[in-house]
Amino acid sequence: RLPSQRLLSERLGVSRPSLREALMTLETLGLIRTFPGRGTFVANPDEQPSAKATHWRYSDDFGMSDVFEVRLLLEARLAQHAAETSTLDDIAHLNAVTDRMETAWEKGDLIANVDEDLAFHQYIAGKSRNPLLLQTYNSLSAFLKETQRQPIPFTALERMADSIAEHRAIIDALHNRNASDARTAMVAHIRNTAICAGIAV
C-alpha cells in the first residue's frame, strides 16, 4: 500500500498536483490500483488489465469517444496555428521531444514515453495565436491527457513506430509552414491513437 499523497509529496519533494498527475499516469498504465476507502496499492503484475477492461476514469461524465472527438476539433485547429507561428527553435524542440519519446519506448520506459507525448501536444497547443482557444485546450487538459495515456500500455511495437512517424509528419508540416498539412497530419494521428483505445472517430 502506498503512503498518503501528503506523505508521498513530502518524501519525494514534489508538489501535490505533480504527484497526483504521476499517480494518474501510473494507474492508467496498470502499475497501481486505487480502491475507494482503502487507498492506493502497487498492482500485481500478473493481474494487468486488458485494453478492453481498462477503466476510463471520467465515465460518469462522458465517454472516451467524446473526448477524442473534442481533440480532433481542437488540436487540428491548434496545429494549423502552430504552422503559422512556429520558429526553427520550436521545430528543434519538437524534434527533441519526439526523440526522447522514441528512446523511452525503446527502453520500455512507459512513464517517460507518456510524459514526452503529453509535452509534444501541449507545446503545439502553446503556439496558438488565439488565447481563448488555448485557454479552452488547457481547461480540458485532464481529459485530453487521459486519452493519450489510455492506449499506451496496449500499444504494439509497430503502432508506436507509426505514432513516432506521425509526430514527424506533424513536425514536417509545421516546419514547411503548411497549415493544411499540419491539420491533416494531426487528425490522422489522433484518429489512429483512438483506434488503439478501441475508439473510432
Side-chain angles (χ1 to χ4, degrees), residues 56-64 66-67 143:
W56 169 247
R57 71 177 74 252
Y58 302 110
S59 58
D60 289 342
D61 300 312
F62 31 69
M64 201 188 322
D66 299 327
V67 183
F143 312 120

Side-chain angles (χ1 to χ4, degrees), residues 22-95:
L23 291 175
M24 287 176 67
T25 298
L26 289 169
E27 187 170 13
T28 300
L29 295 178
L31 299 176
I32 61 174
R33 295 181 67 188
T34 300
F35 300 93
R38 291 176 54 200
T40 301
F41 298 79
V42 175
N44 182 336
D46 296 327
E47 298 178 355
Q48 295 299 304
S50 67
K52 291 183 178 178
T54 301
H55 175 65
W56 169 247
R57 71 177 74 252
Y58 302 110
S59 58
D60 289 342
D61 300 312
F62 31 69
M64 201 188 322
S65 60
D66 299 327
V67 183
F68 269 114
E69 186 173 7
V70 170
R71 280 192 67 186
L72 277 180
L73 293 170
L74 278 179
E75 294 197 54
R77 189 62 175 171
L78 288 166
Q80 287 183 285
H81 285 198
E84 298 165 356
T85 59
S86 291
T87 65
L88 290 177
D89 286 343
D90 294 325
I91 300 304
H93 179 82
L94 289 169
N95 274 315

Side-chain angles (χ1 to χ4, degrees), residues 21-194:
E21 186 74 19
L23 291 175
M24 287 176 67
T25 298
L26 289 169
E27 187 170 13
T28 300
L29 295 178
L31 299 176
I32 61 174
R33 295 181 67 188
T34 300
F35 300 93
R38 291 176 54 200
T40 301
F41 298 79
V42 175
N44 182 336
D46 296 327
E47 298 178 355
Q48 295 299 304
S50 67
K52 291 183 178 178
T54 301
H55 175 65
W56 169 247
R57 71 177 74 252
Y58 302 110
S59 58
D60 289 342
D61 300 312
F62 31 69
M64 201 188 322
S65 60
D66 299 327
V67 183
F68 269 114
E69 186 173 7
V70 170
R71 280 192 67 186
L72 277 180
L73 293 170
L74 278 179
E75 294 197 54
R77 189 62 175 171
L78 288 166
Q80 287 183 285
H81 285 198
E84 298 165 356
T85 59
S86 291
T87 65
L88 290 177
D89 286 343
D90 294 325
I91 300 304
H93 179 82
L94 289 169
N95 274 315
V97 170
T98 303
D99 288 343
R100 292 195 297 269
M101 181 182 173
E102 186 170 19
T103 298
W105 178 262
E106 290 171 351
K107 291 181 177 179
D109 188 343
L110 297 181
I111 303 297
N113 178 279
V114 169
D115 285 346
E116 298 300 344
D117 188 31
L118 294 172
F120 179 88
H121 289 270
Q122 288 172 329
Y123 194 87
I124 289 175
K127 298 303 297 180
S128 176
R129 52 180 167 70
N130 182 333
L132 183 57
L133 187 60
L134 177 57
Q135 181 179 320
T136 301
Y137 178 88
N138 289 335
S139 71
L140 300 172
S141 63
F143 312 120
L144 305 180
K145 288 176 182 178
E146 195 64 13
T147 63
Q148 287 167 262
R149 293 187 184 105
Q150 194 87 6
I152 291 293
F154 319 105
T155 300
L157 182 62
E158 59 272 16
R159 170 56 201 151
M160 183 50 65
D162 289 343
S163 180
I164 295 296
E166 290 161 11
H167 276 217
R168 304 287 187 202
I170 293 167
I171 294 170
D172 285 345
L174 301 184
H175 184 234
N176 294 329
R177 291 189 167 274
N178 190 319
S180 177
D181 283 356
R183 177 187 181 87
T184 299
M186 182 63 79
V187 167
H189 176 55
I190 292 172
R191 281 186 170 147
N192 288 335
T193 301

